[in-house]
Amino acid sequence: ALDAAGQGRSCPFVKVDGSESDDLASQFGVEGYPTVTLARRGKTPKEFRGERSHSAIRDWVLKILEPSLDVVTTSADLVALAESRPAAAVALVAPRQ
């Protein structure tokens, strides 16, 4: 599993021998080895094309799985954000003291 650096989240990491699982390799469009693919229920699989290190793969997975967080400090920034997305969740918090 790829651990999200102590954040209490993980993603199972499965090794498959494509030469023994032709049907699975075909299903995910694997044309060469090694291939790292993120498969999510109901989503199109995404192929990793970066450095083959634990940290690079972990960061790629987290970027895909975690929603983006935008911090806005002005009304104009909030309006611009709302107009650029089909939907957004907004949290209003008290300023730090």
Side-chain angles (χ1 to χ4, degrees):
L2 295 175
D3 184 28
Q7 299 173 16
R9 293 182 297 260
S10 65
C11 177
F13 195 83
V14 180
K15 181 179 179 180
V16 176
D17 184 342
S19 64
E20 293 181 12
S21 303
D22 291 334
D23 57 332
L24 192 58
S26 177
Q27 178 183 346
F28 285 94
V30 174
E31 296 178 356
Y33 301 102
T35 298
V36 177
T37 302
L38 179 64
R40 297 169 53 197
R41 185 175 306 135
K43 305 279 185 177
T44 302
K46 294 184 183 259
E47 184 177 340
F48 177 71
R49 297 190 182 273
E51 174 190 341
R52 295 296 202 261
S53 70
H54 179 271
S55 61
I57 294 170
R58 181 198 62 221
D59 292 347
W60 174 73
V61 168
L62 290 176
K63 184 176 180 180
I64 293 171
L65 296 181
E66 291 195 1
S68 64
L69 177 65
D70 294 300
V71 177
V72 294
T73 56
T74 68
S75 297
D77 289 345
L78 180 57
V79 169
L81 177 66
E83 290 175 348
S84 70
R85 307 245 172 100
V90 177
L92 301 174
V93 297
R96 290 185 181 181
Q97 296 185 23

Short mmCIF file of all heavy atoms in Angstrom, two decimals, residues 27-70:
data_model
loop_
_atom_site.label_atom_id
_atom_site.label_comp_id
_atom_site.label_asym_id
_atom_site.label_seq_id
_atom_site.Cartn_x
_atom_site.Cartn_y
_atom_site.Cartn_z
N GLN A 27 -7.06 -5.36 -20.88
CA GLN A 27 -8.13 -4.52 -20.34
C GLN A 27 -7.62 -3.12 -20.00
O GLN A 27 -8.32 -2.14 -20.18
CB GLN A 27 -8.73 -5.18 -19.10
CG GLN A 27 -9.81 -4.37 -18.43
CD GLN A 27 -10.32 -5.04 -17.15
OE1 GLN A 27 -10.06 -6.21 -16.89
NE2 GLN A 27 -11.04 -4.29 -16.36
N PHE A 28 -6.38 -3.03 -19.49
CA PHE A 28 -5.82 -1.74 -19.09
C PHE A 28 -4.94 -1.12 -20.17
O PHE A 28 -4.31 -0.10 -19.95
CB PHE A 28 -5.05 -1.89 -17.78
CG PHE A 28 -5.96 -2.02 -16.60
CD1 PHE A 28 -6.31 -3.26 -16.11
CD2 PHE A 28 -6.49 -0.89 -15.99
CE1 PHE A 28 -7.16 -3.38 -15.03
CE2 PHE A 28 -7.35 -1.00 -14.92
CZ PHE A 28 -7.68 -2.25 -14.44
N GLY A 29 -4.91 -1.72 -21.35
CA GLY A 29 -4.17 -1.14 -22.47
C GLY A 29 -2.66 -1.17 -22.30
O GLY A 29 -1.97 -0.31 -22.85
N VAL A 30 -2.15 -2.13 -21.56
CA VAL A 30 -0.71 -2.22 -21.33
C VAL A 30 -0.02 -2.67 -22.62
O VAL A 30 -0.36 -3.69 -23.19
CB VAL A 30 -0.39 -3.19 -20.17
CG1 VAL A 30 1.11 -3.39 -20.03
CG2 VAL A 30 -1.01 -2.68 -18.88
N GLU A 31 0.96 -1.88 -23.06
CA GLU A 31 1.69 -2.20 -24.28
C GLU A 31 3.16 -2.49 -24.01
O GLU A 31 3.87 -2.95 -24.88
CB GLU A 31 1.55 -1.06 -25.29
CG GLU A 31 0.12 -0.87 -25.74
CD GLU A 31 -0.04 0.29 -26.70
OE1 GLU A 31 0.94 1.01 -26.96
OE2 GLU A 31 -1.17 0.49 -27.19
N GLY A 32 3.65 -2.16 -22.82
CA GLY A 32 5.05 -2.38 -22.47
C GLY A 32 5.20 -2.49 -20.96
O GLY A 32 4.27 -2.17 -20.21
N TYR A 33 6.37 -2.93 -20.55
CA TYR A 33 6.62 -3.14 -19.12
C TYR A 33 7.87 -2.40 -18.71
O TYR A 33 8.80 -2.27 -19.50
CB TYR A 33 6.76 -4.64 -18.84
CG TYR A 33 5.54 -5.43 -19.24
CD1 TYR A 33 5.52 -6.17 -20.42
CD2 TYR A 33 4.40 -5.40 -18.46
CE1 TYR A 33 4.40 -6.88 -20.79
CE2 TYR A 33 3.27 -6.11 -18.84
CZ TYR A 33 3.28 -6.85 -20.00
OH TYR A 33 2.17 -7.54 -20.38
N PRO A 34 7.98 -1.87 -17.49
CA PRO A 34 6.92 -1.88 -16.47
C PRO A 34 5.88 -0.79 -16.74
O PRO A 34 6.19 0.23 -17.32
CB PRO A 34 7.67 -1.58 -15.19
CG PRO A 34 8.82 -0.74 -15.61
CD PRO A 34 9.20 -1.24 -16.99
N THR A 35 4.67 -1.04 -16.34
CA THR A 35 3.58 -0.08 -16.46
C THR A 35 2.93 0.08 -15.09
O THR A 35 2.62 -0.90 -14.42
CB THR A 35 2.52 -0.58 -17.46
OG1 THR A 35 3.13 -0.69 -18.75
CG2 THR A 35 1.35 0.38 -17.55
N VAL A 36 2.75 1.32 -14.67
CA VAL A 36 2.07 1.62 -13.41
C VAL A 36 0.77 2.34 -13.78
O VAL A 36 0.80 3.37 -14.46
CB VAL A 36 2.93 2.50 -12.49
CG1 VAL A 36 2.17 2.87 -11.22
CG2 VAL A 36 4.24 1.80 -12.14
N THR A 37 -0.36 1.78 -13.35
CA THR A 37 -1.67 2.33 -13.70
C THR A 37 -2.50 2.49 -12.44
O THR A 37 -2.50 1.62 -11.57
CB THR A 37 -2.40 1.37 -14.67
OG1 THR A 37 -1.59 1.20 -15.83
CG2 THR A 37 -3.75 1.92 -15.08
N LEU A 38 -3.20 3.60 -12.34
CA LEU A 38 -4.13 3.82 -11.23
C LEU A 38 -5.53 3.52 -11.74
O LEU A 38 -6.00 4.17 -12.67
CB LEU A 38 -4.05 5.25 -10.71
CG LEU A 38 -5.00 5.59 -9.56
CD1 LEU A 38 -4.66 4.78 -8.32
CD2 LEU A 38 -4.95 7.08 -9.25
N ALA A 39 -6.16 2.53 -11.14
CA ALA A 39 -7.52 2.13 -11.53
C ALA A 39 -8.47 2.50 -10.40
O ALA A 39 -8.27 2.10 -9.26
CB ALA A 39 -7.57 0.64 -11.81
N ARG A 40 -9.50 3.27 -10.74
CA ARG A 40 -10.51 3.67 -9.77
C ARG A 40 -11.87 3.28 -10.30
O ARG A 40 -12.15 3.41 -11.48
CB ARG A 40 -10.46 5.19 -9.55
CG ARG A 40 -9.15 5.64 -8.97
CD ARG A 40 -8.97 7.13 -9.01
NE ARG A 40 -10.08 7.84 -8.40
CZ ARG A 40 -10.31 9.13 -8.59
NH1 ARG A 40 -9.54 9.84 -9.38
NH2 ARG A 40 -11.33 9.72 -8.02
N ARG A 41 -12.73 2.82 -9.41
CA ARG A 41 -14.08 2.39 -9.78
C ARG A 41 -14.81 3.54 -10.50
O ARG A 41 -14.90 4.65 -10.01
CB ARG A 41 -14.85 2.00 -8.53
CG ARG A 41 -16.22 1.42 -8.82
CD ARG A 41 -16.91 0.94 -7.57
NE ARG A 41 -16.05 0.00 -6.87
CZ ARG A 41 -15.84 0.03 -5.55
NH1 ARG A 41 -16.42 0.91 -4.80
NH2 ARG A 41 -15.04 -0.86 -4.98
N GLY A 42 -15.29 3.23 -11.69
CA GLY A 42 -16.07 4.21 -12.44
C GLY A 42 -15.26 5.27 -13.16
O GLY A 42 -15.81 6.18 -13.76
N LYS A 43 -13.94 5.19 -13.10
CA LYS A 43 -13.07 6.19 -13.74
C LYS A 43 -12.19 5.52 -14.78
O LYS A 43 -11.90 4.34 -14.71
CB LYS A 43 -12.16 6.85 -12.70
CG LYS A 43 -12.87 7.48 -11.52
CD LYS A 43 -13.40 8.82 -11.87
CE LYS A 43 -13.99 9.45 -10.62
NZ LYS A 43 -14.46 10.78 -10.84
N THR A 44 -11.74 6.29 -15.75
CA THR A 44 -10.81 5.80 -16.74
C THR A 44 -9.45 5.60 -16.07
O THR A 44 -8.98 6.51 -15.38
CB THR A 44 -10.67 6.80 -17.90
OG1 THR A 44 -11.96 7.01 -18.48
CG2 THR A 44 -9.70 6.32 -18.96
N PRO A 45 -8.81 4.43 -16.25
CA PRO A 45 -7.48 4.22 -15.65
C PRO A 45 -6.47 5.25 -16.14
O PRO A 45 -6.53 5.71 -17.27
CB PRO A 45 -7.09 2.81 -16.12
CG PRO A 45 -8.37 2.17 -16.50
CD PRO A 45 -9.27 3.26 -16.99
N LYS A 46 -5.56 5.64 -15.24
CA LYS A 46 -4.53 6.61 -15.59
C LYS A 46 -3.16 5.94 -15.49
O LYS A 46 -2.87 5.26 -14.51
CB LYS A 46 -4.57 7.80 -14.64
CG LYS A 46 -5.83 8.62 -14.77
CD LYS A 46 -5.77 9.84 -13.87
CE LYS A 46 -7.06 10.60 -13.95
NZ LYS A 46 -7.00 11.74 -14.79
N GLU A 47 -2.34 6.15 -16.51
CA GLU A 47 -1.01 5.55 -16.53
C GLU A 47 0.02 6.54 -15.99
O GLU A 47 0.03 7.71 -16.37
CB GLU A 47 -0.62 5.13 -17.94
CG GLU A 47 0.71 4.41 -17.99
CD GLU A 47 1.08 3.91 -19.37
OE1 GLU A 47 0.18 3.78 -20.22
OE2 GLU A 47 2.27 3.66 -19.59
N PHE A 48 0.88 6.06 -15.10
CA PHE A 48 1.96 6.86 -14.52
C PHE A 48 3.11 6.92 -15.51
O PHE A 48 3.53 5.91 -16.03
CB PHE A 48 2.41 6.23 -13.20
CG PHE A 48 3.57 6.94 -12.57
CD1 PHE A 48 3.40 8.19 -12.00
CD2 PHE A 48 4.81 6.35 -12.54
CE1 PHE A 48 4.46 8.84 -11.41
CE2 PHE A 48 5.88 6.99 -11.94
CZ PHE A 48 5.70 8.25 -11.37
N ARG A 49 3.63 8.11 -15.75
CA ARG A 49 4.72 8.28 -16.70
C ARG A 49 5.89 9.04 -16.08
O ARG A 49 6.59 9.78 -16.76
CB ARG A 49 4.25 9.01 -17.94
CG ARG A 49 3.18 8.26 -18.71
CD ARG A 49 2.92 8.91 -20.05
NE ARG A 49 1.88 8.23 -20.77
CZ ARG A 49 2.08 7.19 -21.57
NH1 ARG A 49 3.28 6.71 -21.74
NH2 ARG A 49 1.07 6.63 -22.20
N GLY A 50 6.09 8.87 -14.78
CA GLY A 50 7.16 9.60 -14.11
C GLY A 50 8.28 8.69 -13.62
O GLY A 50 8.39 7.54 -14.03
N GLU A 51 9.09 9.26 -12.76
CA GLU A 51 10.21 8.53 -12.15
C GLU A 51 9.67 7.33 -11.37
O GLU A 51 8.70 7.45 -10.64
CB GLU A 51 10.96 9.47 -11.22
CG GLU A 51 12.06 8.82 -10.42
CD GLU A 51 12.59 9.75 -9.34
OE1 GLU A 51 12.40 10.97 -9.42
OE2 GLU A 51 13.19 9.22 -8.40
N ARG A 52 10.31 6.19 -11.50
CA ARG A 52 9.86 4.97 -10.83
C ARG A 52 10.43 4.89 -9.41
O ARG A 52 11.23 4.03 -9.08
CB ARG A 52 10.28 3.72 -11.62
CG ARG A 52 9.64 3.59 -12.99
CD ARG A 52 8.13 3.43 -12.88
NE ARG A 52 7.52 2.82 -14.04
CZ ARG A 52 6.92 3.48 -15.00
NH1 ARG A 52 6.88 4.77 -14.98
NH2 ARG A 52 6.36 2.83 -15.99
N SER A 53 10.03 5.83 -8.57
CA SER A 53 10.43 5.80 -7.16
C SER A 53 9.17 5.80 -6.31
O SER A 53 8.10 6.25 -6.74
CB SER A 53 11.29 7.01 -6.82
OG SER A 53 10.51 8.20 -6.83
N HIS A 54 9.31 5.31 -5.09
CA HIS A 54 8.16 5.25 -4.18
C HIS A 54 7.57 6.64 -3.99
O HIS A 54 6.35 6.83 -4.08
CB HIS A 54 8.60 4.66 -2.84
CG HIS A 54 7.50 4.58 -1.84
ND1 HIS A 54 7.21 5.61 -0.99
CD2 HIS A 54 6.60 3.60 -1.58
CE1 HIS A 54 6.17 5.28 -0.23
NE2 HIS A 54 5.80 4.06 -0.57
N SER A 55 8.40 7.63 -3.72
CA SER A 55 7.88 8.97 -3.44
C SER A 55 7.21 9.59 -4.67
O SER A 55 6.18 10.26 -4.53
CB SER A 55 8.99 9.89 -2.92
OG SER A 55 10.02 10.02 -3.88
N ALA A 56 7.76 9.37 -5.86
CA ALA A 56 7.14 9.94 -7.07
C ALA A 56 5.78 9.31 -7.34
O ALA A 56 4.82 10.01 -7.66
CB ALA A 56 8.07 9.75 -8.27
N ILE A 57 5.69 7.99 -7.18
CA ILE A 57 4.41 7.31 -7.40
C ILE A 57 3.40 7.71 -6.33
O ILE A 57 2.25 8.00 -6.63
CB ILE A 57 4.60 5.78 -7.44
CG1 ILE A 57 5.43 5.40 -8.66
CG2 ILE A 57 3.26 5.06 -7.46
CD1 ILE A 57 5.89 3.96 -8.69
N ARG A 58 3.83 7.78 -5.07
CA ARG A 58 2.94 8.21 -3.98
C ARG A 58 2.39 9.61 -4.24
O ARG A 58 1.19 9.85 -4.13
CB ARG A 58 3.68 8.17 -2.64
CG ARG A 58 2.79 8.59 -1.46
CD ARG A 58 3.57 8.97 -0.23
NE ARG A 58 4.41 10.12 -0.55
CZ ARG A 58 5.67 10.25 -0.14
NH1 ARG A 58 6.25 9.33 0.58
NH2 ARG A 58 6.37 11.32 -0.46
N ASP A 59 3.27 10.54 -4.61
CA ASP A 59 2.83 11.92 -4.85
C ASP A 59 1.85 11.98 -6.01
O ASP A 59 0.88 12.75 -5.97
CB ASP A 59 4.04 12.82 -5.13
CG ASP A 59 4.92 13.00 -3.90
OD1 ASP A 59 4.50 12.64 -2.77
OD2 ASP A 59 6.06 13.49 -4.07
N TRP A 60 2.08 11.18 -7.06
CA TRP A 60 1.17 11.14 -8.22
C TRP A 60 -0.20 10.62 -7.80
O TRP A 60 -1.23 11.21 -8.16
CB TRP A 60 1.81 10.26 -9.29
CG TRP A 60 0.96 9.99 -10.48
CD1 TRP A 60 0.64 10.85 -11.49
CD2 TRP A 60 0.33 8.75 -10.82
NE1 TRP A 60 -0.15 10.22 -12.42
CE2 TRP A 60 -0.36 8.92 -12.04
CE3 TRP A 60 0.28 7.49 -10.21
CZ2 TRP A 60 -1.07 7.92 -12.66
CZ3 TRP A 60 -0.43 6.48 -10.82
CH2 TRP A 60 -1.10 6.70 -12.03
N VAL A 61 -0.23 9.54 -7.03
CA VAL A 61 -1.49 8.96 -6.56
C VAL A 61 -2.25 9.97 -5.70
O VAL A 61 -3.44 10.19 -5.89
CB VAL A 61 -1.26 7.64 -5.79
CG1 VAL A 61 -2.52 7.20 -5.07
CG2 VAL A 61 -0.78 6.55 -6.73
N LEU A 62 -1.55 10.60 -4.75
CA LEU A 62 -2.22 11.56 -3.87
C LEU A 62 -2.77 12.75 -4.64
O LEU A 62 -3.85 13.25 -4.34
CB LEU A 62 -1.25 12.04 -2.78
CG LEU A 62 -0.91 11.00 -1.73
CD1 LEU A 62 0.13 11.54 -0.77
CD2 LEU A 62 -2.14 10.54 -0.99
N LYS A 63 -2.03 13.19 -5.65
CA LYS A 63 -2.51 14.33 -6.45
C LYS A 63 -3.82 13.99 -7.15
O LYS A 63 -4.71 14.82 -7.26
CB LYS A 63 -1.45 14.72 -7.47
CG LYS A 63 -1.81 15.94 -8.27
CD LYS A 63 -0.68 16.33 -9.19
CE LYS A 63 -1.06 17.57 -9.99
NZ LYS A 63 0.00 17.98 -10.90
N ILE A 64 -3.95 12.74 -7.61
CA ILE A 64 -5.18 12.31 -8.28
C ILE A 64 -6.31 12.09 -7.29
O ILE A 64 -7.45 12.48 -7.54
CB ILE A 64 -4.93 11.03 -9.10
CG1 ILE A 64 -3.99 11.33 -10.25
CG2 ILE A 64 -6.23 10.44 -9.61
CD1 ILE A 64 -3.50 10.11 -10.99
N LEU A 65 -6.01 11.47 -6.15
CA LEU A 65 -7.07 11.08 -5.22
C LEU A 65 -7.57 12.20 -4.33
O LEU A 65 -8.70 12.18 -3.90
CB LEU A 65 -6.58 9.92 -4.34
CG LEU A 65 -6.28 8.61 -5.06
CD1 LEU A 65 -5.84 7.56 -4.05
CD2 LEU A 65 -7.47 8.13 -5.86
N GLU A 66 -6.72 13.16 -4.03
CA GLU A 66 -7.14 14.23 -3.12
C GLU A 66 -7.71 15.40 -3.90
O GLU A 66 -7.17 15.79 -4.92
CB GLU A 66 -5.94 14.70 -2.29
CG GLU A 66 -5.49 13.65 -1.31
CD GLU A 66 -4.56 14.21 -0.25
OE1 GLU A 66 -4.29 15.41 -0.25
OE2 GLU A 66 -4.13 13.42 0.58
N PRO A 67 -8.78 15.95 -3.37
CA PRO A 67 -9.33 17.14 -4.03
C PRO A 67 -8.37 18.32 -3.85
O PRO A 67 -7.61 18.37 -2.90
CB PRO A 67 -10.64 17.39 -3.28
CG PRO A 67 -10.44 16.75 -1.95
CD PRO A 67 -9.51 15.58 -2.18
N SER A 68 -8.42 19.22 -4.79
CA SER A 68 -7.57 20.40 -4.67
C SER A 68 -8.17 21.35 -3.64
O SER A 68 -9.37 21.38 -3.42
CB SER A 68 -7.42 21.09 -6.02
OG SER A 68 -8.68 21.57 -6.45
N LEU A 69 -7.32 22.12 -3.03
CA LEU A 69 -7.75 23.09 -2.02
C LEU A 69 -7.26 24.46 -2.46
O LEU A 69 -6.06 24.67 -2.65
CB LEU A 69 -7.15 22.72 -0.66
CG LEU A 69 -7.44 23.68 0.49
CD1 LEU A 69 -8.94 23.70 0.79
CD2 LEU A 69 -6.66 23.28 1.71
N ASP A 70 -8.19 25.36 -2.66
CA ASP A 70 -7.85 26.73 -3.02
C ASP A 70 -8.16 27.61 -1.82
O ASP A 70 -9.25 27.53 -1.25
CB ASP A 70 -8.68 27.19 -4.22
CG ASP A 70 -8.34 26.44 -5.48
OD1 ASP A 70 -7.18 26.51 -5.90
OD2 ASP A 70 -9.23 25.77 -6.03
#
